[in-house]
Amino acid sequence: MAAEIAKLGHTALVTPNMEKSLWFFRDVIGLEEVDHQGDTVFLRAWGDWEHHTLSLTPGSEARVDHMAWRAKQASDVDLFAEQLKAQGTPIQWIEPGEEKGQGRAIRFRLPNGYPFEIYYDIEKPKAPEDKKSRLKNNVYRPSNGIAPRRIDHVNVWTSNPGEVHQWLSDNMGFKMRESVRLSNGFVAGGWMSVTPLVHDIGVMLDPKGQSSRLHHLAYYMDNVTDILRAADILREYNIPLEMGGPGRHGISQAFFLYVKDPGSGHRLELFSGGYLIFDPDWEPIEWSEQELDSGLIWYGPQGSMEDTTPC
Amino acid sequence: MAAEIAKLGHTALVTPNMEKSLWFFRDVIGLEEVDHQGDTVFLRAWGDWEHHTLSLTPGSEARVDHMAWRAKQASDVDLFAEQLKAQGTPIQWIEPGEEKGQGRAIRFRLPNGYPFEIYYDIEKPKAPEDKKSRLKNNVYRPSNGIAPRRIDHVNVWTSNPGEVHQWLSDNMGFKMRESVRLSNGFVAGGWMSVTPLVHDIGVMLDPKGQSSRLHHLAYYMDNVTDILRAADILREYNIPLEMGGPGRHGISQAFFLYVKDPGSGHRLELFSGGYLIFDPDWEPIEWSEQELDSGLIWYGPQGSMEDTTPC
Amino acid sequence: MAAEIAKLGHTALVTPNMEKSLWFFRDVIGLEEVDHQGDTVFLRAWGDWEHHTLSLTPGSEARVDHMAWRAKQASDVDLFAEQLKAQGTPIQWIEPGEEKGQGRAIRFRLPNGYPFEIYYDIEKPKAPEDKKSRLKNNVYRPSNGIAPRRIDHVNVWTSNPGEVHQWLSDNMGFKMRESVRLSNGFVAGGWMSVTPLVHDIGVMLDPKGQSSRLHHLAYYMDNVTDILRAADILREYNIPLEMGGPGRHGISQAFFLYVKDPGSGHRLELFSGGYLIFDPDWEPIEWSEQELDSGLIWYGPQGSMEDTTPC
Amino acid sequence: MAAEIAKLGHTALVTPNMEKSLWFFRDVIGLEEVDHQGDTVFLRAWGDWEHHTLSLTPGSEARVDHMAWRAKQASDVDLFAEQLKAQGTPIQWIEPGEEKGQGRAIRFRLPNGYPFEIYYDIEKPKAPEDKKSRLKNNVYRPSNGIAPRRIDHVNVWTSNPGEVHQWLSDNMGFKMRESVRLSNGFVAGGWMSVTPLVHDIGVMLDPKGQSSRLHHLAYYMDNVTDILRAADILREYNIPLEMGGPGRHGISQAFFLYVKDPGSGHRLELFSGGYLIFDPDWEPIEWSEQELDSGLIWYGPQGSMEDTTPC
């Protein structure tokens, strides 16, 4: 039986301006600072149960250290290790605690270069008493800044999305939910998931043709009005909104707001709405090039985003 | 390998006042009328892909004919049939088309009496051209009445919830997500799911001690403001709101509105928010009797609901 | 004592495609059809008390027939007539019923050409029984299409806004609330009101240098989510959203959505939020050219609107 | 010409637990602390322009020191003083600065005992640089707690509301907007305003028959979702919500949430929606006793509020 992925775990970002990135993610976005290890700071949203869903580490230049996926069972980590080795992908073992709060894990790169991690064991620390939610089924009291609820997905750029989609399907069990096919037959983007979310990962064509860049990481908010409040807060801080402001994608039906961490240039999406796929026989929705006008932006800002995010 | 349930499919309701029930579910709530078969009318929400998520059939008195669950694979229907027979539960085979749009299925009763159905094959008809959404990943244009997005869950009453929870866990793979334990140790309610939803089914203690009653069926709306708009619409139609209006549960964190179909007395919940559980090792949240004040109603109307719903 | 204006009354539009304009304003936007007179159809929003807040009349080309203002007292109509004549503005008397539902009124043109009407007597018909709100303080049950609550303001283009502002202040008592001054000292726009609304009328520089064009008429919606729902509905009807979608102005703090009537090209704004001015000594907020980036669009689509609206 | 009131200015509350009241209004509700004078602290909402819209003063027991109204012109303060004296109401002069930020003012009691103040001159201090909004037409960046936009209205209890309504109409120019008449002909409540708000003041029958008590003071929020967010925040602080939570009144159409300052017992309403009255010939909406079910609570919690607020 094949090893299975349960969910997106976290993204580990490297930033050349730690102070500014910490200010952005913790004080403006309102992620909670959970823990640290050396120079690395671990954060999570108020409704995240795991030890961290984001880590920030200072470094000479911005990059993604890894994007981490939680396996469905403890034994799946070993199983993935075997499968990947068999398939020719070199893996690196991460010992328990090497990444704080996390058990034994593997790291490896996809053929195109994305740095992935798979783990199962992870601590689920409670919130400190003064920040704890009075709701038993919640972690923190949402009290700080923009305050998204939880990590949602990652979105990455590459030079040949179709190949990456195939790899993710073959080796990690991701199912295609929606995709874009250009008139020349080339697959320019795909939104894939192992959960009922429309996407745990989006893999899209890099306009600069690079093989492996982060487009954005995304956190979820309960209501579209939370996104509008976020826009107001960001504008008050004079942090530019990508494309000018929020809107709704056709693809995924998400209500979105994009903003870049001013410390690192990494892009964050605040995301609400979307739809869930429970059908075991879901037929991927394929958008043609002609349909992209409503597919990309159902309503909202029409400009393209600057493609200056780091790898 | 055990047979698996993928999702809630539909509820089949019997109503003594077909005209009024149809007016309520189709014209007020805004479900789309998809098809009919004899006296039975099939409906679904604008974002439901399956042939129907609700059926209404005229009958001498209100009752639930069945609550239907979609299996994860075609072969799971047979597998469930075998397992249930082995376990001593009589099953009844439903032939393809016997319920319109649906393939071969089994019906059976839980030990306490809930009428369940398991199917896999189901038609996914497109919306008629004049009602079709311009979004490729959507079914209907939301154009009618209150217009919830999709079916969400069912909630049922019984005399010994703990036994039913165990049965659902052992025989259908439902996982406990949240539960209520009284001071005397008795489990008074449990919210269980096979999906990341907090509950696909809730099973609660019947205040009248009956073994098998529907508490409510629920449809999902994207935003809390959609629920408030629903409250306004229902009040304009002079349809009573249960408990007086919307509020937020602690358990499940759902923003809710309850209303009874004036034709049958069956209760409908309009539901927004809530949270998703992606953790494979989720530890059920147990609410004590003392914690129920914020568990049942985090904020909103405090009265209890009339327990006059049909079986 | 000077005659006073109480409020904006209605706009009377001429359309070359009556059928399409009626479909747009009545069926899509959801204004209620109240009455007709010859070819003219009278409409109002569900929360408008007066006989009409919009009239549509077929004509060879799109134009504004008049923008009507309600005087504070019956005697103010005569007083305005005298004042305007004394000031050199020719006026035309409109007899009671000449415009259905309306009493005696005057029509005149501002020096730059805007066609204005001042009236006091107006019928306030009830909604028909089947459309009547169950709320005593409301007119219609909001049941139809996008369903804005009430008329809000008009916004017009001219070649020298400063002169028009002065005229409106001197002759009709409008107070400047916010304005834009270019680096060369030229006043490029002003938002004025007789009520606590930030503006009952906006007067802005016409990019084409014409003396008298309608930029838009605006209806009010209670919540920003109503505007987002409107965007979804318009997109489903494949009616283009101006600039691509909703956003928030800095000036007036309004959450906006612009759309053109496909029958006439007249532009409609759906408007929520904004702020109210109760201070009798309000000091106008003046935005410099450098401040316009956040003044025009606080967040949202950044493109400019096509300047193709009719006079 | 009669003196005129422009708007509600502020309420001056006395609290037996200054620390707790300050925590509630400043840290939980999120009013901004502007200034102090002796033991008195002055607060205002982020969108309030005047020096203060609330003051808190420690005292042996909770009471309203005064409710202040801003006159339309500077000369109106003297004019009101003359009119009130002529009418037999004793007035007390307050010297400039006696109440910090405020000019010369008069204080007096209504025949039933309400302590009123009328002033015109008031400072409009800017927000400190680090709290200042980047919007020129706003005061503070909304950054703190629940964060309502501005003061809205006061609501008071008395033993004979009809008499008070008459007094307010005769002596201060308040117009009746909505009222409640019991079956025995007694006027049980009236909502009156000098602005287009449905009410600047509500005067209702005291269930305990006292002559002069504050029912609540109210602050305005832009969206219903802001009120729901407020409910979540208050619940996290374990501060009881009056009646259990938010709802919508029929009268005024307001979406409401009531909560008591745990330091003083004074009640606060967070208020959104409602409607505006621009008609100079508005006919008051009168609700009969039979109509009160939808008049008081259109939807929401049905319980009555405890009548334990201080005078």
Side-chain angles (χ1 to χ4, degrees):
Chain A
M1 198 177 107
E4 285 179 276
I5 296 295
K7 64 185 286 284
L8 174 62
H10 56 264
T11 46
L13 301 181
V14 175
T15 171
N17 189 335
M18 185 67 178
E19 195 183 358
K20 206 163 197 174
S21 292
L22 199 51
W23 167 77
F24 175 72
F25 282 110
R26 185 188 57 195
D27 301 337
V28 178
I29 301 301
L31 299 185
E32 300 287 344
E33 188 173 339
V34 183
D35 207 342
H36 62 99
Q37 183 176 32
D39 287 341
T40 297
V41 173
F42 298 100
L43 303 121
R44 59 177 170 172
W46 55 265
D48 282 329
W49 294 84
E50 300 190 16
H51 180 269
H52 55 280
T53 55
L54 178 69
S55 71
L56 295 174
T57 302
S60 55
E61 56 182 28
R63 63 180 176 81
V64 179
D65 188 76
H66 61 273
M67 298 176 265
W69 303 90
R70 189 165 190 213
K72 226 170 193 169
Q73 302 183 59
S75 57
D76 280 341
V77 178
D78 285 281
L79 207 48
F80 270 118
E82 284 166 36
Q83 288 173 197
L84 288 165
K85 277 188 285 189
Q87 184 259 9
T89 299
I91 63 152
Q92 177 198 355
W93 280 99
I94 302 296
E95 290 312 305
E98 194 172 329
E99 181 170 330
K100 209 167 177 183
Q102 184 180 275
R104 202 154 149 268
I106 55 173
R107 289 197 191 149
F108 56 96
R109 284 185 179 272
L110 262 60
N112 76 313
Y114 298 146
F116 269 26
E117 179 181 73
I118 296 175
Y119 68 96
Y120 177 80
D121 288 314
I122 187 87
E123 289 173 24
K124 297 185 181 178
K126 296 196 170 169
E129 273 309 310
D130 64 324
K131 294 193 157 195
K132 203 173 161 176
S133 175
R134 286 186 62 241
L135 280 172
K136 292 197 80 165
N137 53 9
N138 201 4
V139 189
Y140 294 80
R141 171 162 58 85
S143 60
N144 185 23
I146 286 170
R149 173 187 278 270
R150 61 166 172 78
I151 192 171
D152 193 85
H153 67 265
V154 287
N155 191 305
V156 287
W157 266 338
T158 192
S159 50
N160 189 346
E163 282 179 2
V164 177
H165 300 155
Q166 195 60 51
W167 196 95
L168 287 168
S169 171
D170 292 348
N171 297 286
M172 292 181 72
F174 283 93
K175 282 163 276 184
M176 184 60 75
R177 304 312 201 163
E178 302 198 33
S179 66
V180 171
R181 189 180 292 273
L182 302 183
S183 304
N184 62 12
F186 190 79
V187 174
W191 289 262
M192 307 183 81
S193 65
V194 291
T195 69
L197 298 179
V198 184
H199 61 319
D200 299 312
I201 187 167
V203 180
M204 312 189 305
L205 179 62
D206 189 325
K208 285 188 172 163
Q210 289 184 233
S211 66
S212 160
R213 280 204 291 167
L214 179 68
H215 187 273
H216 64 263
L217 64 153
Y219 278 80
Y220 184 81
M221 308 199 78
D222 284 4
N223 288 285
V224 290
T225 45
D226 299 321
I227 305 281
L228 299 182
R229 180 174 169 267
D232 274 315
I233 291 174
L234 291 165
R235 286 293 277 150
E236 286 287 5
Y237 279 113
N238 208 3
I239 299 172
L241 309 183
E242 292 252 278
M243 297 190 293
R248 187 182 295 281
H249 292 306
I251 294 167
S252 87
Q253 299 178 28
F255 194 77
F256 64 81
L257 176 63
Y258 294 97
V259 58
K260 277 187 193 158
D261 163 23
S264 68
H266 290 301
R267 187 184 285 116
L268 172 72
E269 181 185 17
L270 297 168
F271 176 103
S272 187
Y275 66 102
L276 299 174
I277 299 172
F278 298 112
D279 298 270
D281 57 348
W282 179 257
E283 291 194 28
I285 307 288
E286 190 178 281
W287 301 74
S288 72
E289 201 166 341
Q290 288 70 36
E291 293 164 334
L292 276 188
D293 62 330
S294 58
L296 294 183
I297 304 291
W298 177 240
Y299 63 76
Q302 303 287 339
S304 41
M305 278 186 272
E306 292 173 63
D307 60 352
T308 55
T309 46
C311 295
Chain B
M1 197 179 110
E4 285 180 277
I5 296 295
K7 65 183 288 284
L8 175 63
H10 56 265
T11 46
L13 300 180
V14 175
T15 171
N17 189 336
M18 185 67 179
E19 195 182 357
K20 206 163 198 174
S21 292
L22 199 50
W23 168 78
F24 175 72
F25 283 109
R26 185 189 56 196
D27 300 338
V28 178
I29 300 301
L31 300 184
E32 299 288 345
E33 189 173 339
V34 183
D35 207 342
H36 62 100
Q37 182 176 33
D39 287 341
T40 297
V41 173
F42 298 100
L43 304 121
R44 59 177 171 174
W46 55 263
D48 283 328
W49 294 85
E50 300 189 17
H51 180 268
H52 56 282
T53 54
L54 178 69
S55 72
L56 295 174
T57 303
S60 55
E61 56 182 29
R63 62 181 177 81
V64 179
D65 189 76
H66 60 273
M67 296 176 266
W69 303 91
R70 189 166 190 212
K72 225 169 194 170
Q73 300 184 59
S75 56
D76 280 340
V77 179
D78 285 282
L79 207 48
F80 271 118
E82 284 166 35
Q83 288 174 196
L84 287 165
K85 277 189 284 187
Q87 183 261 7
T89 299
I91 63 153
Q92 177 197 355
W93 280 99
I94 301 298
E95 291 311 306
E98 194 172 329
E99 180 170 330
K100 209 167 176 184
Q102 184 181 275
R104 203 155 148 269
I106 54 172
R107 289 196 192 152
F108 56 97
R109 285 186 178 269
L110 262 60
N112 76 313
Y114 297 145
F116 270 27
E117 179 181 74
I118 295 175
Y119 68 96
Y120 176 80
D121 288 315
I122 187 87
E123 290 174 23
K124 298 186 182 178
K126 296 196 170 170
E129 272 310 310
D130 64 325
K131 295 193 157 195
K132 202 174 163 179
S133 175
R134 287 186 60 242
L135 281 171
K136 291 196 80 166
N137 52 9
N138 200 4
V139 189
Y140 294 80
R141 172 163 57 85
S143 61
N144 186 23
I146 286 170
R149 175 187 276 271
R150 61 165 170 78
I151 193 172
D152 192 84
H153 66 267
V154 286
N155 190 305
V156 286
W157 266 339
T158 192
S159 49
N160 190 346
E163 282 180 1
V164 176
H165 300 154
Q166 195 60 52
W167 196 96
L168 287 169
S169 171
D170 293 347
N171 296 286
M172 293 181 70
F174 283 93
K175 283 163 275 184
M176 183 62 74
R177 303 313 199 163
E178 302 199 33
S179 66
V180 171
R181 188 180 293 272
L182 303 183
S183 304
N184 62 11
F186 190 79
V187 174
W191 288 261
M192 307 183 80
S193 65
V194 292
T195 69
L197 298 179
V198 184
H199 61 317
D200 300 313
I201 185 166
V203 180
M204 312 190 305
L205 179 62
D206 189 324
K208 285 190 173 161
Q210 289 184 232
S211 66
S212 159
R213 281 203 290 167
L214 179 68
H215 187 275
H216 64 263
L217 64 152
Y219 278 79
Y220 184 81
M221 308 199 78
D222 284 3
N223 287 286
V224 292
T225 45
D226 299 323
I227 305 281
L228 299 181
R229 181 175 169 268
D232 274 317
I233 291 174
L234 290 166
R235 286 293 277 151
E236 286 287 5
Y237 278 114
N238 208 3
I239 299 172
L241 308 182
E242 293 253 277
M243 298 191 294
R248 187 181 296 280
H249 292 304
I251 295 167
S252 87
Q253 299 178 29
F255 193 76
F256 64 81
L257 176 62
Y258 294 98
V259 59
K260 277 187 194 156
D261 163 23
S264 68
H266 290 301
R267 187 185 285 116
L268 173 73
E269 181 184 17
L270 297 168
F271 175 104
S272 188
Y275 65 102
L276 299 175
I277 299 172
F278 297 112
D279 298 88
D281 57 349
W282 179 256
E283 291 194 27
I285 308 288
E286 189 178 279
W287 301 74
S288 72
E289 201 166 339
Q290 288 71 35
E291 293 165 334
L292 277 188
D293 61 330
S294 58
L296 294 184
I297 303 291
W298 176 241
Y299 62 75
Q302 303 286 339
S304 42
M305 278 186 271
E306 292 173 62
D307 59 352
T308 55
T309 45
C311 294
Chain C
M1 199 178 106
E4 285 180 277
I5 295 296
K7 64 183 288 283
L8 175 63
H10 57 264
T11 45
L13 301 180
V14 176
T15 171
N17 189 336
M18 185 68 178
E19 194 183 359
K20 207 163 197 173
S21 292
L22 199 51
W23 168 78
F24 175 71
F25 282 109
R26 184 188 57 194
D27 301 336
V28 178
I29 300 302
L31 300 185
E32 300 287 345
E33 188 173 341
V34 183
D35 207 343
H36 61 99
Q37 183 175 32
D39 286 342
T40 297
V41 173
F42 298 100
L43 303 120
R44 59 176 172 174
W46 54 264
D48 282 329
W49 294 85
E50 300 189 17
H51 180 268
H52 55 281
T53 54
L54 179 70
S55 71
L56 295 174
T57 303
S60 56
E61 56 181 29
R63 63 180 177 82
V64 179
D65 188 76
H66 61 272
M67 298 176 266
W69 303 90
R70 190 166 190 214
K72 226 170 193 169
Q73 302 183 59
S75 57
D76 281 340
V77 179
D78 285 281
L79 207 49
F80 271 118
E82 285 165 36
Q83 288 173 195
L84 288 165
K85 276 188 285 188
Q87 183 260 8
T89 299
I91 63 150
Q92 175 198 358
W93 280 100
I94 302 297
E95 291 311 306
E98 193 173 330
E99 180 170 330
K100 208 169 179 182
Q102 185 181 275
R104 204 154 148 267
I106 55 173
R107 289 199 192 149
F108 56 97
R109 285 187 178 270
L110 262 60
N112 76 314
Y114 298 145
F116 270 26
E117 179 182 74
I118 295 175
Y119 68 97
Y120 177 80
D121 288 314
I122 187 88
E123 290 174 23
K124 297 186 181 177
K126 296 197 169 168
E129 273 310 310
D130 65 323
K131 293 192 158 195
K132 202 174 166 178
S133 175
R134 286 186 60 243
L135 281 171
K136 292 196 81 167
N137 53 8
N138 201 4
V139 189
Y140 294 80
R141 172 163 57 85
S143 61
N144 185 22
I146 286 170
R149 175 188 277 271
R150 60 166 172 77
I151 193 171
D152 193 84
H153 66 266
V154 287
N155 190 306
V156 287
W157 266 339
T158 192
S159 50
N160 189 346
E163 283 179 0
V164 176
H165 300 154
Q166 196 60 51
W167 197 96
L168 287 169
S169 171
D170 292 348
N171 297 285
M172 292 182 71
F174 282 92
K175 282 164 277 184
M176 183 61 74
R177 304 311 200 164
E178 302 198 33
S179 66
V180 170
R181 187 180 294 272
L182 302 183
S183 305
N184 62 11
F186 190 79
V187 174
W191 289 261
M192 307 183 81
S193 64
V194 291
T195 70
L197 298 178
V198 184
H199 60 319
D200 300 313
I201 186 166
V203 180
M204 312 189 306
L205 179 63
D206 189 325
K208 285 187 172 163
Q210 290 184 233
S211 67
S212 160
R213 279 204 292 168
L214 179 69
H215 187 274
H216 64 263
L217 65 153
Y219 278 79
Y220 184 81
M221 308 199 77
D222 284 4
N223 289 284
V224 290
T225 45
D226 299 322
I227 305 281
L228 299 182
R229 180 174 169 268
D232 274 315
I233 290 174
L234 291 165
R235 286 293 277 148
E236 286 288 3
Y237 278 114
N238 209 4
I239 299 171
L241 309 182
E242 293 252 278
M243 297 191 293
R248 187 182 295 281
H249 292 305
I251 295 166
S252 86
Q253 300 179 28
F255 194 76
F256 64 80
L257 176 61
Y258 294 98
V259 59
K260 277 188 194 156
D261 163 23
S264 68
H266 290 301
R267 187 185 285 118
L268 172 72
E269 181 184 18
L270 297 167
F271 176 104
S272 188
Y275 65 102
L276 299 175
I277 298 172
F278 297 112
D279 298 88
D281 57 349
W282 179 257
E283 292 194 27
I285 307 287
E286 188 178 281
W287 301 74
S288 72
E289 199 166 340
Q290 288 71 36
E291 293 165 333
L292 276 189
D293 61 329
S294 58
L296 294 183
I297 304 291
W298 176 241
Y299 62 76
Q302 303 288 340
S304 42
M305 278 186 272
E306 291 172 63
D307 61 352
T308 56
T309 45
C311 295
Chain D
M1 196 179 109
E4 284 180 277
I5 296 295
K7 64 183 287 283
L8 175 63
H10 56 265
T11 46
L13 300 181
V14 175
T15 171
N17 189 336
M18 184 68 178
E19 195 183 357
K20 207 163 196 174
S21 291
L22 199 50
W23 168 77
F24 175 72
F25 282 110
R26 184 189 57 196
D27 300 337
V28 178
I29 300 302
L31 299 185
E32 300 287 345
E33 189 174 342
V34 183
D35 207 341
H36 62 100
Q37 183 176 32
D39 287 340
T40 297
V41 173
F42 297 101
L43 303 121
R44 59 176 171 174
W46 55 264
D48 282 329
W49 294 85
E50 300 189 16
H51 180 268
H52 56 281
T53 55
L54 178 69
S55 71
L56 295 174
T57 302
S60 56
E61 56 182 30
R63 63 180 176 81
V64 179
D65 188 77
H66 60 273
M67 297 176 267
W69 303 91
R70 190 167 190 212
K72 226 169 192 171
Q73 302 184 60
S75 57
D76 280 339
V77 179
D78 284 282
L79 207 48
F80 270 118
E82 285 165 36
Q83 287 173 196
L84 287 165
K85 277 188 285 189
Q87 183 261 6
T89 299
I91 64 150
Q92 176 198 355
W93 280 100
I94 302 297
E95 291 310 306
E98 194 173 328
E99 180 171 330
K100 209 167 177 183
Q102 185 181 273
R104 203 155 149 268
I106 54 171
R107 289 199 192 150
F108 57 97
R109 284 186 179 272
L110 263 59
N112 76 314
Y114 298 145
F116 270 28
E117 180 181 73
I118 295 175
Y119 68 97
Y120 177 79
D121 287 315
I122 187 87
E123 290 175 22
K124 298 186 181 177
K126 296 199 169 166
E129 272 309 310
D130 65 324
K131 295 192 156 196
K132 201 173 163 177
S133 174
R134 287 185 61 242
L135 280 171
K136 291 196 81 167
N137 52 9
N138 199 4
V139 189
Y140 294 81
R141 170 164 58 85
S143 61
N144 185 25
I146 286 170
R149 175 188 277 270
R150 60 165 171 79
I151 193 172
D152 193 84
H153 66 267
V154 287
N155 190 306
V156 286
W157 266 339
T158 193
S159 50
N160 189 346
E163 282 179 2
V164 177
H165 300 154
Q166 195 61 50
W167 196 97
L168 288 168
S169 170
D170 292 348
N171 296 287
M172 292 182 70
F174 283 92
K175 282 163 275 183
M176 183 61 74
R177 303 313 200 164
E178 302 199 34
S179 66
V180 170
R181 188 180 293 273
L182 303 183
S183 305
N184 62 11
F186 190 81
V187 174
W191 288 262
M192 306 183 82
S193 65
V194 292
T195 70
L197 299 179
V198 184
H199 60 319
D200 299 313
I201 186 166
V203 180
M204 313 189 305
L205 178 62
D206 189 325
K208 285 188 171 163
Q210 290 184 230
S211 67
S212 161
R213 280 203 292 166
L214 179 68
H215 187 274
H216 64 263
L217 64 153
Y219 278 79
Y220 184 81
M221 308 199 77
D222 283 4
N223 288 285
V224 291
T225 45
D226 298 323
I227 305 280
L228 299 182
R229 180 173 169 268
D232 274 317
I233 290 174
L234 291 165
R235 286 293 278 150
E236 285 288 4
Y237 278 114
N238 208 4
I239 300 171
L241 309 182
E242 293 253 277
M243 300 191 292
R248 188 182 294 281
H249 292 305
I251 295 167
S252 88
Q253 299 179 28
F255 193 76
F256 64 81
L257 177 62
Y258 294 99
V259 58
K260 277 187 194 158
D261 163 22
S264 68
H266 289 302
R267 188 184 284 118
L268 173 73
E269 181 184 17
L270 297 168
F271 176 103
S272 188
Y275 65 103
L276 298 175
I277 298 172
F278 297 112
D279 298 87
D281 57 349
W282 179 256
E283 292 194 26
I285 308 287
E286 188 178 281
W287 301 74
S288 72
E289 200 167 339
Q290 289 70 37
E291 292 165 334
L292 277 188
D293 62 328
S294 59
L296 294 183
I297 304 292
W298 176 241
Y299 63 75
Q302 304 287 339
S304 41
M305 277 187 272
E306 292 172 62
D307 59 352
T308 56
T309 46
C311 294

